[in-house]
Amino acid sequence: MFPSHRPRRLRRTAALRRMVSETTIRPDQLILPMFVKEGLTEPVALASMPGVVQHSRDSLRKAAVEAVQAGVGGLMLFGVPEKHDAVGSGGTDPDGILNVALRDVRAEVGDSAVIMSDLCLDEFTDHGHCGVLDAHGNVDNDATLEIYAEMALAQARAGAHVLGPSGMMDGQVGVIRAALDDAGLQDIGILAYSSKYASAFFGPFRDAVDSQLKGDRKAYQQDPGNVRESLREVQLDLAEGADMVMVKPALAYLDVIRATAEISDVPVAAYQVSGEYSMIEAAAANGWLDRRRTIMEVLTSIRRAGADVVLTYWAVEVAGWLREG
């Protein structure tokens, strides 16, 4: 009799589907990106990212505790200064907003979650680029590396468990690793933004960090059409001592996540970026998509592609859903 094979047998009940599920999501695999802005007394909602805010120091502390209580595995902090300058001095200042926020959060949650920090100059420069500029207005790779080394020490001493160099400078992982090790901070990890593309999906994020960007970042972020280039970047970061590697954005680069997972001997992260978040929120608000089902489906796709951990603005909400069962 036909059909003799009936795969639907294993889909018949919810219990069967759960039992044979190939891809799962746990709260501790989720990392929550968080923005803290200097000078705020109350959190400020972001119009382009419904449900996301720029935190004050007080609201950041509270939100960090809530995230940890929800079971979220990590927190990635971004600082937004009141003043910007050509060399992004707020990033290396021990009393700059990101570094004081790291101290605040470490004091609140200790080692109960992985505290991560964005290690880049774009939030702090008055031109919005990820590094300092030379006399011709181009990003000076090697001069930027010197500043990244200073930032690494400041962030590590402020309480970060893991540093996230996101500027796509050649050699950044090696320089940061050497600076940490020379300072006796060899236990601090590095989550390398190995494959960071020059993506249109970053748009809302630039509102979140009050970006001062003039022009674009195509001279150092990657071409969306390239995969081999990404894998070369991953291999270089691994050779330089990365403890984890990342693909950013996630949803439009699932093939890159898969290819990275196949060659990486360290955990692979993927960043579900602001544009991915906002387009789903907008579609759900218009009644075009089932919000919860869509969120879970795209997160599952990122995990299925090979990401061990996912940075997502829905981390706390999804952790709650997962705990509900």
Side-chain angles (χ1 to χ4, degrees):
M1 293 180 63
F2 179 83
S4 57
H5 298 283
R6 295 182 181 271
R8 285 183 56 190
R9 293 188 187 113
L10 297 182
R11 306 176 198 145
R12 193 166 58 86
T13 69
L16 273 168
R17 293 191 295 272
R18 286 194 300 271
M19 185 176 71
V20 301
S21 176
E22 298 175 30
T23 304
T24 58
I25 305 171
R26 303 191 314 266
D28 56 9
Q29 294 168 326
L30 304 177
I31 300 168
L32 176 66
M34 307 179 80
F35 306 104
V36 57
K37 184 172 182 179
E38 189 174 18
L40 292 185
T41 56
E42 298 290 338
V44 175
L46 296 169
S48 60
M49 297 179 70
V52 178
V53 303
Q54 290 175 328
H55 283 287
S56 67
R57 288 177 63 186
D58 286 342
S59 70
L60 178 72
R61 286 192 288 263
K62 180 180 178 182
V65 171
E66 291 172 351
V68 172
Q69 290 174 342
V72 168
L75 310 171
M76 175 65 83
L77 271 57
F78 296 85
V80 186
E82 287 185 300
K83 296 180 180 179
H84 304 78
D85 60 34
V87 297
S89 57
T92 55
D93 182 356
D95 295 318
I97 182 59
L98 179 54
N99 294 321
V100 297
L102 285 167
R103 288 197 289 273
D104 289 343
V105 171
R106 185 65 181 267
E108 287 288 343
V109 306
D111 295 332
S112 58
V114 181
I115 301 171
M116 302 178 172
S117 56
D118 180 62
L119 200 166
C120 193
L121 286 174
D122 60 324
E123 297 103 307
F124 301 98
T125 56
D126 57 12
H127 45 73
H129 280 288
C130 297
V132 293
L133 304 183
D134 63 21
H136 304 288
N138 301 312
V139 174
D140 187 326
N141 191 95
D142 295 2
T144 299
L145 293 181
E146 294 179 17
I147 299 176
Y148 283 4
E150 293 181 49
M151 292 181 73
L153 297 180
Q155 292 177 4
R157 289 165 176 157
H161 296 105
V162 174
L163 310 183
S166 60
M168 292 300 291
M169 297 296 115
D170 294 338
Q172 60 185 17
V173 172
V175 166
I176 291 167
R177 183 73 273 158
L180 292 170
D181 291 354
D182 289 347
L185 297 166
Q186 62 273 4
D187 291 335
I188 304 301
I190 299 175
L191 167 57
Y193 285 59
S194 300
S195 302
K196 184 177 180 181
Y197 286 87
S199 174
F201 286 99
F202 296 153
F205 176 89
R206 292 174 184 166
D207 292 339
V209 296
D210 291 351
S211 174
Q212 309 295 304
L213 182 63
K214 301 173 179 66
D216 59 50
R217 299 183 177 126
K218 294 180 181 179
Y220 46 100
Q221 293 179 352
Q222 290 177 256
D223 184 329
N226 293 357
V227 177
R228 287 193 300 268
E229 181 184 32
S230 288
L231 300 183
R232 184 184 183 206
E233 292 276 11
V234 169
Q235 291 167 331
L236 289 169
D237 285 348
L238 291 173
E240 291 175 21
D243 299 288
M244 295 181 275
V245 293
M246 186 194 293
V247 177
K248 179 181 180 178
L251 194 55
Y253 298 90
L254 296 177
D255 60 324
V256 182
I257 297 172
R258 167 51 55 196
T260 299
E262 288 173 352
I263 67 167
S264 176
D265 58 359
V266 302
V268 175
Y271 197 143
Q272 187 183 51
V273 300
S274 60
E276 299 172 55
Y277 172 90
S278 295
M279 70 181 184
I280 291 172
E281 288 288 349
N286 278 284
W288 299 335
L289 293 173
D290 180 301
R291 182 176 178 273
R292 178 166 173 169
R293 286 185 61 196
T294 303
I295 291 169
M296 294 305 297
E297 185 172 338
V298 295
L299 285 172
T300 299
S301 76
I302 296 166
R303 286 274 298 117
R304 188 183 67 242
D308 299 290
V309 295
V310 182
L311 285 80
T312 174
Y313 299 98
W314 289 303
V316 174
E317 188 172 14
V318 170
W321 296 342
L322 294 170
R323 289 162 72 96
E324 290 169 7

